[in-house]
Amino acid sequence: MGAVSEIEPLDTEAAITQVSVGVNSLVGVENKTTTTVALDFGRITLDPSIVLYLFGTPGQDRFSFLWDDLVEGALGSIVLVDTRRIEDSFPALDYFEERGTPFVLAVNRFDGAQLFALDEVREALGIGPEVPVLTCDARNRSTVRDVLAALMDQVVHQHVTGGPAKAGAAAR
């Protein structure tokens, strides 16, 4: 969010402390020092008539109660995947698939993390060809912008046709 928001984003990052032991798993991300604990908020203007309000939530299943409020009226969603903990992506993917919410899968690239081909990630998560799978660095404005553009392609296609885009139609 901070990479693309035109306003100072509301950010709910908090330090990981001893209190979170047993609640937050650090398996695969042992050097992580902060975590999102509520909703993040930002805004980006695509043109004078289109303003996107951006909301970010933690992806862990225990935060799914937040998703219900955010999906109401949402155009679509970006599921940001950390391949070091790919299994954490299943609850969010299931949630958006069950609701028919347009979404894209953004594979976040981290320094020092093993890189996987996007087809491998798609297969590991059981994602159909109609869902764009892209790489990004959530800290990099241009890659986040590309993910947002792919999401907007998905949203427009689903709005116009009533169904998800065909394979490759929204990929950049």
Side-chain angles (χ1 to χ4, degrees):
M1 182 135 354
V4 295
S5 181
E6 64 197 21
I7 62 171
E8 183 67 33
L10 170 65
D11 153 335
T12 60
E13 286 288 304
I16 295 175
T17 65
Q18 282 301 114
V19 174
S20 69
V21 173
V23 176
N24 290 315
S25 171
L26 295 180
V27 174
V29 290
E30 290 78 9
N31 293 327
K32 186 174 179 172
T33 59
T34 64
T35 190
T36 303
V37 296
L39 297 175
D40 291 351
F41 174 77
R43 183 185 74 209
I44 185 170
T45 302
L46 301 181
D47 77 30
S49 66
I50 301 174
V51 177
L52 296 181
Y53 294 97
L54 309 171
F55 296 89
T57 67
Q60 297 94 335
D61 193 32
R62 70 179 185 271
F63 289 102
S64 64
F65 69 93
L66 294 171
W67 306 343
D68 288 332
D69 291 332
L70 290 179
V71 80
E72 186 71 32
L75 295 175
S77 180
I78 296 167
V79 177
L80 189 63
V81 174
D82 180 346
T83 57
R84 299 171 298 180
R85 301 185 328 175
I86 199 164
E87 66 281 353
D88 290 348
S89 304
F90 287 112
L93 292 171
D94 291 344
Y95 182 90
F96 295 114
E97 284 177 339
E98 289 169 6
R99 283 157 184 78
T101 303
F103 72 94
V104 298
L105 189 76
V107 180
N108 203 7
R109 299 294 191 194
F110 293 95
D111 298 333
Q114 183 177 353
L115 299 179
F116 295 93
L118 294 180
D119 286 340
E120 289 179 285
V121 175
R122 178 186 298 282
E123 184 177 333
L125 291 171
I127 299 297
E130 70 282 357
V131 176
V133 178
L134 304 96
T135 60
C136 77
D137 177 337
R139 303 162 295 185
N140 181 287
R141 182 176 180 80
S142 67
T143 64
V144 174
R145 185 196 63 229
D146 291 345
V147 171
L148 280 170
L151 176 61
M152 292 309 297
D153 287 347
Q154 276 295 86
V155 168
V156 168
H157 189 277
Q158 187 161 332
H159 180 73
V160 169
T161 67
K166 299 293 181 216
R172 295 208 180 277

